[in-house]
Amino acid sequence: MSERDDEQSFREAMQDVRPLIGKKGNKAHSGNGRKPNADIPESTLRARRKAAELEKPPAGAALSEAWIEPVDPEQFIEFSRPGIQTTRLRQLRQGMIPVQFQVDLHGYKVSEARELIHEFIQTSRYRGMSCVRIIHGKSHRNKERQSTLKSHTNHWLKQMPDVLAFCSAPPSEGGTGSVLVLLKRK
């Protein structure tokens, strides 16, 4: 077929086609021109949004393991985002904020612990909890300090935007074998 035959065939095929005309003239469909259904109550829409957020695949795998700073078994760890009040951080350090939920990582592999920590933080925040505990252990028996769950927990919590601050627990709350985590409000 020649170029002219192609053009003629195209014109014949398109002769009955009319452009779509909307309120503001011709528009290409962009997918974001949906208008909300006025029959659906706002509370239902909010509940659907929350459910959609929960259905997102877990991002625990996105937590970096590029280089994990080794942490000694008895080392006190602490982190806080800018803007955290020193009084609130002191209360966390002293165990004065009640722990509302906890998870124990003993017996988990590093890859399993990463997913578990991510899911635990997301669930805790969704339930409106402000202070949780992660028991990671000290790994005294592990000769290679780099691969301890304590080192990884320290590294991962710093990457999570929902974590405002964390520190090793006081001796009565688990000591340096666990961390108290202060979460953003829902």
Side-chain angles (χ1 to χ4, degrees):
M1 273 190 150
S2 70
E3 187 176 276
R4 187 173 182 127
D5 291 338
D6 285 344
E7 189 175 320
Q8 182 64 30
S9 296
F10 178 76
R11 287 183 195 275
E12 288 174 8
M14 302 304 287
Q15 74 184 20
D16 294 327
V17 174
R18 299 286 176 250
L20 295 174
I21 299 176
K23 292 180 182 176
K24 296 182 181 178
N26 291 339
K27 277 189 173 179
H29 178 66
S30 63
N32 59 3
R34 291 177 37 185
K35 62 179 182 176
N37 189 339
D39 299 333
I40 301 174
E42 184 62 32
S43 60
T44 303
L45 293 175
R46 279 194 304 272
R48 285 181 183 174
R49 281 187 209 108
K50 282 183 183 179
E53 288 173 4
L54 288 177
E55 290 176 359
K56 292 179 183 175
L63 295 174
S64 166
E65 280 193 58
W67 183 80
I68 308 293
E69 180 183 351
V71 177
D72 289 330
E74 297 298 330
Q75 182 178 340
F76 184 88
I77 57 175
E78 182 176 81
F79 169 80
S80 68
R81 299 217 183 271
I84 299 297
Q85 295 176 344
T86 55
T87 305
R88 193 74 170 149
L89 195 55
R90 187 180 71 245
Q91 290 172 338
L92 185 67
R93 258 188 246 122
Q94 294 173 351
M96 296 173 66
I97 303 171
V99 173
Q100 298 167 304
F101 202 29
Q102 73 178 20
V103 66
D104 190 341
L105 302 179
H106 284 100
Y108 285 94
K109 295 177 183 175
V110 172
S111 59
E112 297 168 337
R114 178 179 51 220
E115 292 295 331
L116 185 61
I117 287 174
H118 182 267
E119 185 178 317
F120 173 73
I121 296 296
Q122 295 301 318
T123 301
S124 299
R125 183 162 182 262
Y126 179 74
R127 291 183 178 175
M129 297 176 188
S130 60
C131 183
V132 295
R133 180 180 333 160
I134 299 175
I135 303 167
H136 47 66
K138 297 183 185 182
S139 300
H140 278 294
R141 292 176 284 161
N142 193 347
K143 303 280 188 249
E144 184 188 326
R145 298 280 182 240
Q146 177 70 13
S147 64
T148 65
L149 286 177
K150 181 175 183 174
S151 299
H152 283 82
T153 300
N154 179 46
H155 182 72
W156 293 329
L157 289 176
K158 291 176 183 177
Q159 297 176 38
M160 301 177 99
D162 292 336
V163 173
L164 294 176
F166 66 87
C167 65
S168 292
S172 63
E173 297 282 332
T176 56
S178 63
V179 289
L180 300 178
V181 183
L182 188 63
L183 300 174
K184 276 185 182 177
R185 290 196 177 144
K186 192 173 161 184

